[in-house]
């Protein structure tokens, strides 16, 4: 076994679909199922202890606790077989007491269980179609009785014992309500169902013969000894101000789709199915629980009713209502109370009530609170914290804080603290969350939702998004170890973003299938990914390219991780192996032993490795990995593990799975190799708070302080008023009490006198009664004495009779003894005679035996003599054989020496061959992928071969036809010769035309360039003139404004001067007015001029700036236009060149075809000198060889080489033209446009020539 050990510390989750899923062990400890464990949770001290499920268990189905709280029964399915395990809760740790796994009756699974009141018997109910009710004496594993509860495959929901009687049991289900009694080894039904059959969902015993039963239509029945005594219907009340209508069935169903679990509680799954089809809006009673005052029952989604017994009658009335509160963190707060309550449980002191719901939540309420809140409904509180209600898809942790981040298909994101085992933050969203990653600092998270990828801040009381990316359905994301980058998967592409500028810096493309897992190496320089396409790639972030790759198409990978030294990659997938990959090759494959690994993680020390399986178990193994089956396997979850992580200090392992549970494990190495990392710095306590929140809180604090001061003043004033009122009331009350005291004193005296009179009368009555009693006693004594005498006489008579009877019995006994002795004597004589006969027979038999022994000894002597002779003969024979064999042995020893030498040489060869085989195996793995691709190619080629065979057959037919036509073609030979000469004459002028067109194209390109330059220059001149015109217009407007301002100033000066003339007779006033005019106009004019100068400078600067900006804008527009023009021209020229080259090639092909026809005709007429078709010369373009005669012929290789050289020269000429055009300012050719490949045309040409 491995030395790496994992101990379960804490679990965050509940499996609500286990029947009877919550109990009280004592006043503080509760038991509930989570994952593949049962959890003992102390509500006050917050610790957890675990009762693990059976090995290879496929999940728990039902629980039951004994009335004395000593035993816990768990129903499970282990390797497709039902098992019931009974644990002893009193021992620490809890140990298995009994395992019931051998059954003499057909059973698929046990869906409900119950212990008897004395805890000695166990009642179990199997699922349809068997539907057997089994009565066990569980300590001896003995079936006491078995009966089939239903024969129509109806669902059975609950079984229970009478709390006062071991022999009476109750069974409820769809149309089933049966009371059974165990007697004489069988279970017999004691009640008869009358009236309409109901779908009975739950029941509870309220006394030794009374049962409360709830139905799916909101009706409650009270049965006493099997007969219905009381019935009521739960009414759907109008919603309060906080809650909405609970009666609407469509709204009461959860918006969250739960994972498909094979629920052992058919009452929930089947009833919800039926409810979706029905139109009735009736609350359904899924759970009931009895307590001393009455009982509690679920009354529709999010609602519990308490019923108390009426004093006068044996009926019950509704006393209180308890609701599940609204959840402010949810995206729809009203959805929190729309979850069905599946199980209710009271504490032993009946102080608290706990409820479990269909969304895997646990709620509690103290019963004293329900009595306080009269009139309005009371509200549950979370027993621990809100839990995930669907499969957990994402898991992350950080370095600076003890935080765990999870996301789930229930559309929620939750932040947990694994040090304090609490929920820090929780928020629900509109879309499902597929993946989550936590920044190493613990302040940010990145979450992949169905619609977008969101980067969020973790505030003190909220999770707030601050950046969204349009990455839909991101299934995997991860922050780098340094936190400066994060990667997100979009299908088969990995996007890498930076956390500083929040920009996309790289996109890693290469996977052909969906990427399932990514992992950063320790220094964040590389990223490792794996996917469903069977590929494991290592990416370099600096270049954005793959560095190493390992592809195995037969495997769909689930998870990948990297060793701390970044040299080895570990990957797990669908092929049930754990792979070690290094340098693009698989070093080792470790088998998973018939289990699919879904997650893998290695410690930061590199000495411990943990893997998660598809059946929910965890395997701990040491590293380097062992070759054999050396690992510790732990039962953890009830579904496939989706994610696994180790904390930064390698102290805790975190696992999540499809069952919606989060486990924390303490891990260590027994060998002490995994040395505990001591933290240099403690966990950070800082949290993020927004400025607006701080300001709002400060404002609220100020308001509250002022309010407190006001309230203090008001309270003091009111206290004074109350003191005044109370003092007055006290005076009035003292006066009243004094008056009442006096009246009471008088009454007391009157009562005393009456009492004395009554005492006297009472004594007289007592004396009379005593006299009567004495007389009656004397009469009774006389009567009794007479009766006693009569009885004594009867007693004596009976004694005489008994003596006579004894004497008679003694006589009979004596007679019987005498007859017995006579019979014994007769029997002894008879058997003695028989013994004598037997002894004589024995003596005769002994004499016969002696005679036979004598005969046997004589025969034995004769046989021994014969054997001695034979032995001597055999000795002589075998001595000869020994000599022969010794000689052969010597010969064989020499041969064995030679063989040994050969064997040693062969062993060396075998070792060499094994090494070769290992290397060949590696090559074989690589070649298998190549073989598969080649097989596909072979299939395609086979199809082509078939098609070509068909074409060959057609061509052979054509050849036969052509041979017939060949004779006719001989007649047209002379005509064709003449046509050939004419075609040769036509080809030469065409080549000349091509040459001329090329020269024209060059001239046109030069003219185009000239025209473009002229257009650019003209556009520049026009823009400059427009700008000058605008500037002059602006200056003209300014000058006109100045003129208007000056005219106004002159007018004002004239008016002021005219006013001064009026004081011409008064020199003193005239002087003051003139001085005022001077100060008003002269000094202000100077200031105006200075200000004008400054404003003119600013206007000039602004004008020049506008002018430059306009010039720049026009230049940009020109550049864009020129680009577009050059692009169109460039594309047009290229298209023309391509079309011309195609025409040239087509003409050459036609020429070659005609020459081959001519050659065939000449060969048929035997006029030529047997020249081959390839010896017939092709016409060379007039550009290269104008003076060569058409009858001249070149070698085929020289001709093809010349054609290639021509095309290379053409390509070089076009490249030179492109470079010249690129040198032109403002011209940028399209990067994506390329010339058509001339190599392809050359290949086509060569194929046709061959």
């Amino acid at each position: 076994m491995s030395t790496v050990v994992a101990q379960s510390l804490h679990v965050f989750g509940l499996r609500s679909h286990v029947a009877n899923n919550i109990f009280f062990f004592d006043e503080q400890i509760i038991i509930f199922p989570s994952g593949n464990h049962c959890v003992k949770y102390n509500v006050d001290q917050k610790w957890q202890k675990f009762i693990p499920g059976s090995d290879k268990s496929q999940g728990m189905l039902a629980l039951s606790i004994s009335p004395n709280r000593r035993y816990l029964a768990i129903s499970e399915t282990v390797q497709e077989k039902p098992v019931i395990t009974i644990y002893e809760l009193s021992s620490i740790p809890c140990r298995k007491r009994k395992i019931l796994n051998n059954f003499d009756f057909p059973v698929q699974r046990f869906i409900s269980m119950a212990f008897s009141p004395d805890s000695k018997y166990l009642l179990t109910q199997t699922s349809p179609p068997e539907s057997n009710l089994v009565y066990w004496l569980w300590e001896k594993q003995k079936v006491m009785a078995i009966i089939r509860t239903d024969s129509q495959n109806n669902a059975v929901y609950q079984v229970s014992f009478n709390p006062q009687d071991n022999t009476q049991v109750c069974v409820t289900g769809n149309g089933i309500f049966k009371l059974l009694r165990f007697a004489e080894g069988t279970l017999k039904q004691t009640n008869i169902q009358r009236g309409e059959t109901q779908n009975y969902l739950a029941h509870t015993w309220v006394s030794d013969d009374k049962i409360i039963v709830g139905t799916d239509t909101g009706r409650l029945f009270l049965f006493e000894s099997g007969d219905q005594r009381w019935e009521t219907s739960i009414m759907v009340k109008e919603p309060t101000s906080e809650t909405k209508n609970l009666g609407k069935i469509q709204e009461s169903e959860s918006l969250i789709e739960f994972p498909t679990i094979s629920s052992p509680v058919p009452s929930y799954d089947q009833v919800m199915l039926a409810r979706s089809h029905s139109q009735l809006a009736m609350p359904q009673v899924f759970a009931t629980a009895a307590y001393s005052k009455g009982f509690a029952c679920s009354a529709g989604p999010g609602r519990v009713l308490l019923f108390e017994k009426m004093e006068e009658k044996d009926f019950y009335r509704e006393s209180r209502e308890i609701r599940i509160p609204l959840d402010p963190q949810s995206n729809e707060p009203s959805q929190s109370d729309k979850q069905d309550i599946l199980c209710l449980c009271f504490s032993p002191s009946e102080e608290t009530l706990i409820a479990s719901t269909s969304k895997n939540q646990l709620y509690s309420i103290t019963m004293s609170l329900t009595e306080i809140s009269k009139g309005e409904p009371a509200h549950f509180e979370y027993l621990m914290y809100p839990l995930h209600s669907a499969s957990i898809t994402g898991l992350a942790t950080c370095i600076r804080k003890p935080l765990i981040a999870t996301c789930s298909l229930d559309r929620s994101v939750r932040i947990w603290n694994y040090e304090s085992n609490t929920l820090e933050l929780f928020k629900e969203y509109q879309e499902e969350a597929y993946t989550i990653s936590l920044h190493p600092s613990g302040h940010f998270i990145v979450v992949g939702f169905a619609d977008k990828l969101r980067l969020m801040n973790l505030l003190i009381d909220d999770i707030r998004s601050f950046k969204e990316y349009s990455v839909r359905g991101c299934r995997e994301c991860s922050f780098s170890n340094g936190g400066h980058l994060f990667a997100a998967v979009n299908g088969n592409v990995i996007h890498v973003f930076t956390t500083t500028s929040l920009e996309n810096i790289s996109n890693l493309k290469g996977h052909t299938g969906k990427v399932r897992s990514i992992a950063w190496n320790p220094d964040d320089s590389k990223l490792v990914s794996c996917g469903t396409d069977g590929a494991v790639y290592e990416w370099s972030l600096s270049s954005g390219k793959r560095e190493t790759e390992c592809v195995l198409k037969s495997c769909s990978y689930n998870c990948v991780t990297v060793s701390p030294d970044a040299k080895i990659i570990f990957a797990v997938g669908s092929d049930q192996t754990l792979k070690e990959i290094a340098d693009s090759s698989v070093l080792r494959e470790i088998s998973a032993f018939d289990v699919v690994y879904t997650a893998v993680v290695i410690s930061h020390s590199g000495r411990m490795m943990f893997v998660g399986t598809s059946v929910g178990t965890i395997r701990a193994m040491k590293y380097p990995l062992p070759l054999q089956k050396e690992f510790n396997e732990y039962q953890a979850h009830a579904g496939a593990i989706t994610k696994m992580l180790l904390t930064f200090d390698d102290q805790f392992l975190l696992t999540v799975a499809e069952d919606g549970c989060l486990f924390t494990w303490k891990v260590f190495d027994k060998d002490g190799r995994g040395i505990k990392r001591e933290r240099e710095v403690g966990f950070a306590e800082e949290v993020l708070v927004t400025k607006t929140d701080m300001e709002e809180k400060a404002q609220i604090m100020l308001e509250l302080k002022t309010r407190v001061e006001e309230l203090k003043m008001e309270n003091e004033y009111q206290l004074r008023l109350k003191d005044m009122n109370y003092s007055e009331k006290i005076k009035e009350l003292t006066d009243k009490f004094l008056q009442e005291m006096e009246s009471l004193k008088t009454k007391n005296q009157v009562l005393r006198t009456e009492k004395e009179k009554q005492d006297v009368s009472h004594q007289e009555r007592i004396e009379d009664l005593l006299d009567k009693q004495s007389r009656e006693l004397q009469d009774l004594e006389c009567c009794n004495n007479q009766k006693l005498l009569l009885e004594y006489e009867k007693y004596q008579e009976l004694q005489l009779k008994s003596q006579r009877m004894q004497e008679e019995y003694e006589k009979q006994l004596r007679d019987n003894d005498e007859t017995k002795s006579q019979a014994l004597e007769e029997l002894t004589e008879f058997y003695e005679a028989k013994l004598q006969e037997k002894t004589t027979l024995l003596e005769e038999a002994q004499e016969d035996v002696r005679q036979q022994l004598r005969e046997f000894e004589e025969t034995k002597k004769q046989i021994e003599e014969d054997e001695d002779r034979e032995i001597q003969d055999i000795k002589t024979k075998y001595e000869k054989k020994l000599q022969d064999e010794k000689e052969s042995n010597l010969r064989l020893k020499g041969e064995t020496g030679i063989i040994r030498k050969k064997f040693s040489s062969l062993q060396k060869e075998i070792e060499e061959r094994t090494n070769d085989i290992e290397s060949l195996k590696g090559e074989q793995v690589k070649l298998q992928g190549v073989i598969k691709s080649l097989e596909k190619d072979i299939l395609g080629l086979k199809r082509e071969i078939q098609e070509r065979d068909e074409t060959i057959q057609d061509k052979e037919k054509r050849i036969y036809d052509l041979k017939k036509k060949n004779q006719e073609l001989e007649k047209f030979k002379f005509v064709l010769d003449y046509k050939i000469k004419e075609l040769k004459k036509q080809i030469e002028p065409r080549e000349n035309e091509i040459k001329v067109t090329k020269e024209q194209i060059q001239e046109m390109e030069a003219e185009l360039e000239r025209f473009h330059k002229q257009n650019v220059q003209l556009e520049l001149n026009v823009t400059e003139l427009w700008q000058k015109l605008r500037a002059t217009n602006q200056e003209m407007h300014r000058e006109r404004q100045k003129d208007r301002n000056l005219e106004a100033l002159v007018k004002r000066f004239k008016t002021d001067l005219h006013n001064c003339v009026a004081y011409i007779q008064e020199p003193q006033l005239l002087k003051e007015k003139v001085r005022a005019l001077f100060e008003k106009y002269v000094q202000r004019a100077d200031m105006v001029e200075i200000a004008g100068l400054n404003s003119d400078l600013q206007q000039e600067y602004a004008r020049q700036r506008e002018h430059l900006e306009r010039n720049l804008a026009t230049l940009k527009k020109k550049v864009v236009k020129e680009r577009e023009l050059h692009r169109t021209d460039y594309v047009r020229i290229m298209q023309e060149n391509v079309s011309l080259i195609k025409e040239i090639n087509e003409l050459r092909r036609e020429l070659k075809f005609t020459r081959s026809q001519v050659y065939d005709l000449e060969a048929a007429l035997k006029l030529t000198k047997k020249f081959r078709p390839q010896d017939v010369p092709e016409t060379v373009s007039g550009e290269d060889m104008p003076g060569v005669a058409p009858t001249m012929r070149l070698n085929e290789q020289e001709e093809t080489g010349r054609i290639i050289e021509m095309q290379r020269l053409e390509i070089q000429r076009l490249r030179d033209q492109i470079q010249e055009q690129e040198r032109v300012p403002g011209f940028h050719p399209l990067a994506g446009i390329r010339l058509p490949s001339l190599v392809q045309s050359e290949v086509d040409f060569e194929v046709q020539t061959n």
Side-chain angles (χ1 to χ4, degrees), residues 376-436:
E376 292 186 0
H379 287 91
F380 281 107
E381 294 179 350
Y382 282 109
L383 179 67
M384 297 179 284
Y385 23 70
L387 302 169
H388 280 297
S389 58
S391 172
I392 300 174
T393 55
L395 174 68
T397 184
C398 63
I399 299 169
R400 293 287 292 119
K401 292 185 178 183
L403 297 182
I404 307 167
T406 58
C407 64
S408 169
L409 296 179
D410 61 7
R411 302 173 184 171
S412 70
V413 173
R414 296 166 202 259
I415 308 298
W416 313 86
N417 189 316
Y418 62 82
E419 245 190 1
S420 60
N421 295 323
T422 54
L423 180 67
E424 296 276 332
L425 288 172
F426 154 57
K427 196 166 185 181
E428 283 190 6
Y429 296 90
Q430 294 288 340
E431 298 291 333
E432 291 179 346
Y434 297 130
T435 180
I436 192 168

Side-chain angles (χ1 to χ4, degrees), residues 45-58:
Q45 299 175 7
K46 310 296 182 187
W47 53 256
Q48 288 186 353
K49 291 181 180 177
F50 294 89
I51 304 169
S54 302
D55 291 339
K56 298 181 181 178
S57 172
Q58 295 168 348

Side-chain angles (χ1 to χ4, degrees), residues 879-893:
E879 281 174 357
K880 290 178 182 178
K881 284 183 180 178
L882 271 170
Q883 289 176 358
D884 297 334
E885 284 181 358
K886 281 178 183 178
E887 291 174 358
S888 63
N889 277 331
L890 291 168
R891 210 168 46 250
L892 289 167
K893 279 180 184 177

Side-chain angles (χ1 to χ4, degrees), residues 776-792:
E776 288 174 357
L777 279 168
Q778 288 175 0
D779 296 334
L780 286 167
E781 283 177 358
C782 294
C783 295
N784 285 326
N785 288 326
Q786 291 175 359
K787 287 179 181 177
L788 282 167
L789 290 167
L790 293 168
E791 291 294 329
Y792 182 70

Side-chain angles (χ1 to χ4, degrees), residues 528-544:
V528 179
S529 64
C530 70
T532 56
D533 55 355
V536 177
Y537 295 143
E538 188 176 16
W539 307 85
S540 172
L541 292 179
S542 58
S543 62

Side-chain angles (χ1 to χ4, degrees), residues 79 237 363 418 557 577 883 889 909 935 992 1120 1157:
Q79 293 181 338
K237 295 187 177 180
Y363 294 96
Y418 62 82
Y557 286 106
T577 57
Q883 289 176 358
N889 277 331
E909 286 180 4
E935 283 175 352
N992 293 326
V1120 171
Q1157 282 183 343

Side-chain angles (χ1 to χ4, degrees), residues 267-328:
S267 62
Y268 182 67
D269 292 341
Q270 295 176 4
V271 171
M272 292 300 285
L273 240 148
R275 187 168 78 172
S276 63
H277 296 299
S278 66
Q279 297 296 322
L280 298 173
M282 298 302 291
Q284 303 184 359
V285 182
F286 283 114
T288 56
Y291 70 114
S292 58
K293 293 181 180 179
F295 66 92
C297 68
S298 63
R303 187 168 168 232
V304 172
L305 296 179
L306 297 178
F307 286 83
E308 291 184 359
K309 189 175 182 181
M310 297 171 71
E311 294 177 358
E312 298 174 357
K313 302 177 182 178
D314 289 337
F315 301 154
Y316 293 84
R317 62 178 177 82
E318 182 185 335
S319 61
R320 296 283 182 275
E321 182 183 359
I322 310 170
R323 287 182 180 272
I324 292 173
L326 302 178
D327 191 351

